[in-house]
């Protein structure tokens, strides 16, 4: 059923005139007459009876008129809601963020909320590989995670920032005169690393494998502050991004640059070839403004 036909029909009933309805709707009278005939043919019943200049609704016409008013009201509300969403007065953004990333993204989240207070922001905190899978299966609109992602995955990526990795050590005489540490030396010590749901874990393990090294993994955890506490307790050494290390206690902990090509690269990921909501597009643009050195946004 054509919504225009309902609109024409209800307006004819309201105006009690085909001529006045046509003027109100800015169409010709033959257009309205043709549309109403098609509506009656589609429904298989007569809707209007003419008695001189008066129009009377049949029982079927009365039912269509009452339901038509309700349908048109719902349609009007839908149009208004879609308009609000397009103008970002309302909507929803499902955003995935690994726990370590929260401090890096807080500024852009604050800017997004100030700019679009009507958009409901639903944040899921999980490891990079977990939020990546959620983006792929449609559970999240977009996520911030460590890059690169597997090239075979249908994901668009936009790098926002890049930081060096550091080796976190207890502040003891053994390490005070060192300026950096490499993977080969690290493999000789118990390691405290993030668990398997983090992209950084996979990147580190691949880096060790490329050098033919098999490190001793003492502890795996999803909490960087727990790993730092274990380092302080001299349970082993940890590899963490520099911004994380800078938040730690300098009186009890020491961090040195990791001698490796590895870096903590963070960026946005969203599913390639899928619909990207207006709120997700606005989030990308907001991040681009917050990190102006990021490359131009991919077309979506």
């Amino acid at each position: 059923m054509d919504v225009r036909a309902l609109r024409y029909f209800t307006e004819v009933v309201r105006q009690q005139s085909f001529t006045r309805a046509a003027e109100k709707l800015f169409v010709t009278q033959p257009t309205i007459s043709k549309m109403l005939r098609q509506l009656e043919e589609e429904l298989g019943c007569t809707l209007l009876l003419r008695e001189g200049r008066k129009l009377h609704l049949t029982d079927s016409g009365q039912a269509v008129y009452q339901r038509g008013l309700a349908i048109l009201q719902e349609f009007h509300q839908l149009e208004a809601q879609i308009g609000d969403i397009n103008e970002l007065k309302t909507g929803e953004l499902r955003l995935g963020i690994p726990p370590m990333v929260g401090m890096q993204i807080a500024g852009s989240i604050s800017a997004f909320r100030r700019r679009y207070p009507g958009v409901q922001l639903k944040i899921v905190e999980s490891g990079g590989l977990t939020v990546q899978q959620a983006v792929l299966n449609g559970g999240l609109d977009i996520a911030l995670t460590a890059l690169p992602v597997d090239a075979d995955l249908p994901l668009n990526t936009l790098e926002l920032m890049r930081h060096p990795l550091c080796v976190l050590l207890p502040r003891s005489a053994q390490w005070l005169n060192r300026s950096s540490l490499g993977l080969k030396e690290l493999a000789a010590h118990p390691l405290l690393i993030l668990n398997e749901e983090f992209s950084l874990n996979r990147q580190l393990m691949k880096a060790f494998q490329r050098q033919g090294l098999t490190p001793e993994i003492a502890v795996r955890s999803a909490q960087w502050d727990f790993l730092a506490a274990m380092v302080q307790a001299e349970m082993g050494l940890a590899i963490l991004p520099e911004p994380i290390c800078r938040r730690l206690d300098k009186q009890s902990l020491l961090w040195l640059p990791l001698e490796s090509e590895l870096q903590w690269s963070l960026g946005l990921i969203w599913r390639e070839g899928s619909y990207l909501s207006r709120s997700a597009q606005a989030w990308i643009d907001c991040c681009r403004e917050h990190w102006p050195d990021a490359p131009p946004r991919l077309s979506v």
Side-chain angles (χ1 to χ4, degrees), residues 45-286:
C45 60
T46 300
L47 301 177
L48 284 171
L49 296 175
R50 298 192 188 193
E51 291 184 5
R53 293 187 176 182
K54 291 186 178 181
L55 296 176
H56 296 280
L57 287 169
T58 64
D59 290 343
S60 297
Q62 184 66 38
V64 173
Y65 178 68
Q66 294 299 329
R67 288 297 182 97
L69 290 175
I71 291 170
L72 290 172
Q73 178 63 23
E74 287 291 331
F75 191 76
H76 176 72
Q77 292 177 0
L78 175 61
E79 288 179 321
Q81 185 176 359
I82 294 299
D84 285 346
I85 291 172
N86 288 339
E87 295 174 12
L88 292 173
K89 295 178 181 178
T90 186
E92 177 183 276
L93 176 62
R94 300 170 301 165
L95 175 65
I97 300 178
M100 283 199 304
V101 174
M103 66 189 73
Q104 305 297 312
I105 206 73
S108 55
I109 289 177
S110 178
F112 183 84
R113 290 288 298 141
R114 288 194 303 270
R115 185 175 301 177
Y116 308 111
V119 176
Q120 185 178 9
L121 191 58
K122 293 187 176 180
I123 297 178
V124 175
E125 286 190 274
S126 294
L129 297 181
T130 301
V131 297
Q132 174 181 294
Q133 187 57 46
V135 169
L136 287 169
N137 63 30
L140 292 173
D141 300 311
I142 198 165
L144 186 74
T145 188
L147 301 178
V149 297
D150 191 331
D152 294 331
L153 295 175
L155 290 170
N156 287 322
T157 64
L158 176 64
E159 184 182 80
L160 298 178
M161 66 191 97
R162 190 177 293 184
H163 299 285
L165 293 175
C166 293
V167 182
L168 188 64
L169 312 133
R171 185 171 284 276
S172 59
Q174 179 183 1
W175 308 112
L176 290 179
N177 294 324
R178 298 295 302 273
S179 58
S180 63
L181 283 174
L183 293 175
K184 185 175 183 180
E185 187 171 0
L186 283 177
H189 297 271
L191 288 186
L192 316 170
I193 65 172
L194 295 164
N195 62 32
E196 290 87 345
E197 67 172 317
F198 287 84
S199 301
L200 184 56
N201 173 295
R202 182 175 58 181
Q203 294 173 27
L204 284 171
M205 292 300 100
K206 287 183 177 179
F208 278 115
Q209 291 172 7
R210 285 195 294 269
Q211 295 192 23
L213 301 172
T214 305
E216 175 193 348
I217 308 300
V219 173
R220 299 177 189 266
S221 174
Q223 305 298 324
W224 58 266
D225 51 350
F226 175 74
L227 295 179
M230 292 297 96
V231 172
Q232 188 172 343
E234 301 189 1
M235 292 288 294
L237 311 181
I239 302 173
L240 292 172
E242 183 184 48
I244 303 296
C245 294
R246 291 192 179 279
R247 296 173 61 89
L248 301 174
D249 181 13
K250 294 182 180 180
Q251 303 302 315
S252 58
L253 292 167
L254 171 70
W255 48 92
L256 301 173
L258 174 66
E259 297 172 6
S260 171
E261 75 283 359
L262 289 176
Q263 288 188 310
W264 193 43
S265 173
L266 295 176
L268 299 176
I269 59 170
W270 64 96
R271 187 171 175 83
E272 183 179 13
S274 296
Y275 169 74
L276 192 66
S277 68
R278 291 295 298 274
S279 56
Q281 294 180 45
W283 169 251
I284 293 173
D285 292 337
C286 195

Side-chain angles (χ1 to χ4, degrees), residues 28 41 61 164 206 248 289:
T28 64
E41 291 172 1
K206 287 183 177 179
L248 301 174
E289 291 178 19

